[in-house]
Amino acid sequence: MIIGKATLRDRDFLESLAGDSFRPFGNYGKLLRGWSEEPGVHTYIARDDDKTRVGFVMLGFYYADHQRRSVYGDILAIAVAPNQRSRGVGRLLLRHAVEMSYQARRTLDVREVRLSVAHTNLTAQRLFASEGFSEGNEARGRYDGGQDAIRMVLALSLERAE
């Protein structure tokens, strides 16, 4: 499995997979296209050994305070092609996003990684928890499809060597 930066040639794949994966939650195919054009948002594509695209993760960096001192990484979306699920692709993409958050510390004071997950998506919740994420203090949000959105957080270790 290879994970690399998305390019303009990946846009249709991203929009299609997001549209299919997140359909119950709203029109995220088009929404992700807009997010991908925002400064500070990075999209990574997972490819299998045949270089076929099998998933993606979208990671944004945002200020956590009004003084603009600390930053958090926000996993805006993570999706895996249906025929590749339960093969570890989602875990690799999640770990890649966390690693990119650590690498961003070279220029930003990134203290944690956040993500939202539907309260009905128990498989994803178990994956995130197994990688150290826990439910954060933020109030639950709501997806356009009406599902509760649980906010999960992973505090980044301050001791980790770069």
Side-chain angles (χ1 to χ4, degrees), residues 86-151:
S86 299
R87 295 183 178 187
V89 177
R91 185 176 303 278
L92 287 173
L93 287 164
L94 180 63
R95 287 179 176 173
H96 186 78
V98 170
E99 179 60 31
M100 293 298 98
S101 296
Y102 274 113
Q103 287 188 23
R105 283 182 159 179
R106 294 177 185 150
T107 57
L108 302 169
D109 183 17
V110 182
R111 298 183 183 186
E112 63 187 21
V113 179
R114 302 175 186 178
L115 57 81
S116 294
V117 60
H119 76 285
T120 56
N121 192 344
L122 300 179
T123 301
Q125 289 175 46
R126 281 191 296 273
L127 167 64
F128 303 145
S130 74
E131 291 294 321
F133 284 81
S134 59
E135 189 165 350
N137 294 328
E138 291 182 53
R140 288 187 177 190
R142 189 169 292 281
Y143 289 100
D144 291 346
Q147 304 87 348
D148 283 345
I150 299 170
R151 197 68 165 149

Side-chain angles (χ1 to χ4, degrees), residues 15-56:
E15 191 169 320
S16 175
L17 182 55
D20 291 344
S21 298
F22 306 128
R23 182 169 288 117
F25 310 108
N27 186 6
Y28 283 86
K30 298 283 186 197
L31 182 63
L32 266 62
R33 181 175 281 222
W35 283 346
S36 70
E37 295 170 357
E38 289 182 13
V41 174
H42 308 275
T43 305
Y44 303 95
I45 301 286
R47 297 177 189 275
D48 66 12
D49 295 336
D50 297 328
K51 301 202 185 323
T52 302
R53 294 174 289 212
V54 296
F56 76 89

Side-chain angles (χ1 to χ4, degrees), residues 7-19 29 33 53:
T7 68
L8 291 176
R9 291 180 298 220
D10 296 313
R11 275 191 150 172
D12 289 342
F13 168 76
L14 294 168
E15 191 169 320
S16 175
L17 182 55
R33 181 175 281 222
R53 294 174 289 212

Side-chain angles (χ1 to χ4, degrees), residues 57-83:
V57 62
M58 185 174 283
L59 174 67
F61 291 97
Y62 302 96
Y63 289 107
D65 57 6
H66 293 295
Q67 296 79 23
R68 295 182 168 224
R69 285 180 290 206
S70 65
V71 175
Y72 65 92
D74 194 347
I75 298 175
L76 301 169
I78 185 168
V80 176
N83 65 340

